[in-house]
Amino acid sequence: MRTRILTAFFLFCLISNQSIACDCRDSKDLKEIQNREFTNSKYIFIGEISKIDTKKHTFEVKVIESFKGAKNGKVYRGVYDKLCGPIIDEVGTWLIYGTLSSGNTIKVNVCGLTRSFKNPEHIISATKPPKPLPSNASKSQIEKESIAWKERAKADLAKEIADLRKRCK
């Protein structure tokens, strides 16, 4: 009897873990992801994150430049999903894609393209990471690849913002 209870408990834990997990596998085409985000977002804007509450997964953001829905200069409260990201983890300038959750709260799109200007490479769906280097790669090779990835991520973000400006004229 005890074995059955333990087995049932173990299976329940496995099933509940799988139901909570998210799957952010996306198209390999950044343009396709950007089009999906544009269509599915009520709010798209560049904002300045000034406060973050990592326990409640909330933040405060002031709209600098709105592409869709938000009002320039307005301060919004935001919320993000800690499991499926993107995770708002640093103050500074961010490109935000989201929907209205309740009242004045913007909910960041799960598995979306919201990312910081400082570290846009943290959102892997936005810029593909470099291919793994061989195990005998030198430290300078690893650094070079890392720098190239960050530069590519910043260039992709700049192009995306230029495209949003054209799209929203």
Side-chain angles (χ1 to χ4, degrees), residues 99-155:
T99 57
L100 194 59
S101 175
S102 62
N104 197 28
T105 303
I106 293 177
K107 182 178 181 201
V108 172
N109 293 350
V110 172
C111 300
L113 291 177
T114 292
R115 57 202 187 276
S116 77
F117 279 45
K118 183 178 176 185
N119 295 303
E121 73 279 2
H122 289 177
I123 304 301
I124 293 176
S125 61
T127 301
K128 294 176 195 159
K131 291 179 181 171
L133 294 172
S135 59
N136 63 348
S138 70
K139 190 175 180 178
S140 66
Q141 281 178 298
I142 295 168
E143 267 183 42
K144 187 178 175 182
E145 278 296 316
S146 177
I147 290 168
W149 179 27
K150 288 179 181 188
E151 288 174 0
R152 193 169 60 253
K154 287 183 179 188

Side-chain angles (χ1 to χ4, degrees), residues 8-20:
F9 177 73
F10 179 72
L11 288 173
F12 174 75
C13 288
L14 278 177
I15 292 168
S16 64
N17 262 354
Q18 289 176 351
S19 65
I20 293 172

Side-chain angles (χ1 to χ4, degrees), residues 25-54:
R25 283 181 285 166
D26 244 325
S27 165
K28 302 289 185 221
D29 182 44
L30 179 57
K31 192 68 178 164
E32 185 179 314
I33 299 168
Q34 290 167 339
N35 285 334
R36 185 202 67 220
E37 280 287 90
F38 188 85
T39 301
N40 294 335
S41 299
K42 184 170 181 174
Y43 294 94
I44 304 171
F45 61 91
I46 296 171
E48 189 69 29
I49 304 285
S50 57
K51 294 179 187 173
I52 302 170
D53 183 336
T54 56

